[in-house]
Amino acid sequence: MNFDKNENQEMIAQMVRDFAEKEIRPFMRKWDDEEFFPVDTMKKLGEMGLLGIFIPEEYGGAGFSYNEYATALMEIGKVCGGIGLSVAAHNSLCTGHIYYHGSKEQKEKYLPKLATGEFIGAWGLTEANTGSDAMRMAATAVKDGNDWVINGTKNWITHGLSGDVSIVLIRTGELLDSNGITSFIIEKGTPGFSAVKIKDKLGVRASETAELIFENVRIPEENVIGEVGMGFKQAMQILDGGRISIASLSCGIARGAYEASVKYAKEREQFGQPIAHFQAIAFKLADMLTQIEAAELLTFQAAYLKDNNQPLTKQGAYAKYYASEVAVKCGNEAVQIMGGYGYTKEYPAEKFLRDAKLMTIGEGTSEIQKIVISREILK
Ligand code: COS
């Protein structure tokens, strides 16, 4: 086993760090307060290759692997979980779905634009009544001539409003038929397709979330991804990879909370000495770092499996489960270490905690990860 970071990882980490300090940190509080999704910042991330990190160069991507993708998300997560979530959803869900399951024509048409940030990507599986129980979705697509006609809604969709292209999972067969769901590509502006922004989220507020509405939306057959009926299985595979991105982002948020805590604990004096000198605080830091390092190892292990085309359902799930819970713990401890200050927006701890909480929910809750892991153990 080699634990050294490779040259690309070092280079990407430095590049993302510089970008985040200049283009994200100065504005993230304002974006968070105003729930503003900075499309311009996303475009800049696209120009740097961060919206097509694992897409090959022939399709306009950076041509890196999941290893580098995980590294980039860890760095962004240290600064802003909201922007990190947008980068993750764009790369592994929308762009990844077209890359792994799309036809040559679909890849040539969409990937160069998605990978460079000309297009922002969205991905829709969840509905208002079907989150964990994704297969019970109600939105339907019915064949009419050469078109499919879609009706229904999708909910909690990252970039649902700003997305230039959305991949949506829609029922084309019987309820609860695992071969009865199909993936479609829908472009912004398609008649009958609209979106409404979801407001007042606890965290990741710089990342746009929306409800998608389909009213007799006509989609040509050429926008079906892969085979009709294979959408659910494609989505499960996409989520296997997506969960690595949420694990990576969680590691970044956790480390951001930890680093802010160390700085505070060394500066803040009580009883005549820095609070870091008290074991009550120092042990919190020790616990945080130990868990972060373990979460990173699980995450890089899952990324390694993905890069080597090995099964990763179980490893992706426990990386996501563990790392997201560690992120919440670290955010919580950061608030505790900073005391009253940590409870205010003047200090970064509360935002780490709010952003971290979504990590235990999105792309499958911690409870769903335990279902996935236990099924893999017992099958
Ligand atoms: N890769 C490929 N295929 C998979 C798979 C995977 N990781 N996981 C399941 N499948 C296949 C199964 O093999 C099964 O195929 P058959 O019917 O041909 O045997 C089919 O998909 C249905 O799987 P399963 O019976 O396990 O479906 P369930 O309804 O029991 O659901 C869970 C399984 C709960 C794991 C799934 O619904 C899930 O992940 N839910 C959470 C969804 C989620 O993460 N939503 C958040 C989206 S936010 S971006």
Side-chain angles (χ1 to χ4, degrees):
M1 253 188 234
N2 181 359
F3 293 103
D4 292 335
K5 285 205 165 39
N6 68 38
E7 249 176 58
N8 289 337
Q9 278 179 290
E10 298 281 11
M11 186 267 290
I12 283 200
Q14 192 55 52
M15 184 179 84
V16 175
R17 230 175 274 145
D18 292 346
F19 180 87
E21 288 307 322
K22 200 165 135 238
E23 303 280 352
I24 299 177
R25 197 184 292 283
F27 313 107
M28 64 179 194
R29 273 289 167 195
K30 190 170 157 57
W31 297 337
D32 185 68
D33 284 345
E34 297 173 5
E35 281 192 281
F36 176 74
F37 173 51
V39 173
D40 289 351
T41 306
M42 287 294 283
K43 301 274 175 198
K44 288 181 192 168
L45 285 160
E47 285 162 18
M48 289 165 62
L50 292 172
L51 296 188
I53 303 180
F54 56 80
I55 300 301
E57 289 174 21
E58 62 172 306
Y59 293 119
F64 290 128
S65 66
Y66 254 68
N67 198 26
E68 283 91 6
Y69 178 37
T71 305
L73 284 171
M74 286 177 189
E75 289 299 331
I76 299 175
K78 279 197 234 171
V79 179
C80 180
I83 300 301
L85 183 71
S86 279
V87 171
H90 176 100
N91 272 285
S92 31
L93 300 183
C94 178
T95 309
H97 200 136
I98 296 177
Y99 175 56
Y100 289 114
H101 298 286
S103 65
K104 191 167 177 292
E105 291 72 28
Q106 289 167 341
K107 289 182 198 181
E108 282 169 354
K109 184 170 177 190
Y110 294 106
L111 290 182
K113 289 182 176 164
L114 285 163
T116 53
E118 187 180 336
F119 274 6
I120 302 289
W123 191 82
L125 171 70
T126 302
E127 297 181 0
N129 294 323
T130 56
S132 294
D133 189 5
M135 209 200 287
R136 204 175 289 266
M137 65 177 63
T140 55
V142 177
K143 194 81 195 278
D144 182 25
N146 190 42
D147 290 343
W148 288 87
V149 180
I150 302 183
N151 279 288
T153 60
K154 291 282 156 188
N155 217 327
W156 309 112
I157 309 307
T158 303
H159 312 149
L161 203 58
S162 301
D164 300 282
V165 52
S166 302
I167 310 304
V168 291
L169 285 296
I170 307 284
R171 168 157 308 292
T172 48
E174 295 301 313
L175 187 70
L176 298 183
D177 178 359
S178 63
N179 297 318
I181 289 169
T182 301
S183 312
F184 295 91
I185 303 172
I186 302 192
E187 293 185 25
K188 194 179 192 169
T190 304
F193 174 41
S194 59
V196 181
K197 182 164 173 160
I198 294 172
K199 294 186 183 149
D200 295 332
K201 288 182 303 181
L202 177 71
V204 291
R205 287 162 61 92
S207 181
E208 178 189 277
T209 312
E211 178 183 14
L212 308 184
I213 301 162
F214 309 94
E215 291 168 310
N216 292 317
V217 178
R218 294 192 83 87
I219 299 295
E221 177 73 29
E222 70 208 39
N223 281 25
V224 169
I225 302 182
E227 280 177 48
V228 170
M230 292 310 290
F232 188 81
K233 287 167 188 170
Q234 291 172 7
M236 289 298 111
Q237 285 169 25
I238 290 301
L239 283 172
D240 281 346
R243 286 166 185 161
I244 302 173
S245 73
I246 301 301
S248 310
L249 186 51
S250 302
C251 292
I253 294 171
R255 202 171 269 279
Y258 160 79
E259 287 175 358
S261 300
V262 173
K263 182 170 181 292
Y264 184 91
K266 283 179 171 173
E267 287 169 4
R268 170 77 170 167
E269 291 197 2
Q270 291 292 279
F271 305 100
Q273 54 186 313
I275 60 170
H277 291 181
F278 296 105
Q279 276 192 346
I281 302 300
F283 280 13
K284 282 188 194 300
L285 299 175
D287 278 339
M288 287 162 91
L289 186 59
T290 305
Q291 291 170 11
I292 291 165
E293 295 276 336
E296 287 180 357
L297 288 176
L298 288 182
T299 303
F300 280 121
Q301 173 185 249
Y304 171 87
L305 295 172
K306 175 84 181 155
D307 288 335
N308 288 280
N309 296 318
Q310 291 180 36
L312 60 94
T313 299
K314 183 176 64 184
Q315 292 85 348
Y318 56 60
K320 198 266 187 192
Y321 164 47
Y322 185 73
S324 63
E325 295 291 341
V326 166
V328 172
K329 276 189 210 159
C330 289
N332 194 37
E333 289 294 47
V335 173
Q336 189 68 20
I337 290 168
M338 295 186 200
Y341 295 106
Y343 203 63
T344 71
K345 288 192 172 183
E346 214 181 311
Y347 283 74
E350 60 84 36
K351 182 171 182 299
F352 284 123
L353 178 58
R354 287 188 289 110
D355 288 350
K357 192 60 205 143
L358 190 268
M359 306 302 132
T360 68
I361 298 169
E363 300 203 27
T365 60
S366 291
E367 292 73 17
I368 285 293
Q369 306 313 318
K370 286 194 258 189
I371 288 177
V372 171
I373 297 161
S374 55
R375 282 187 184 178
E376 287 289 314
I377 293 168
L378 300 171
K379 80 179 181 190

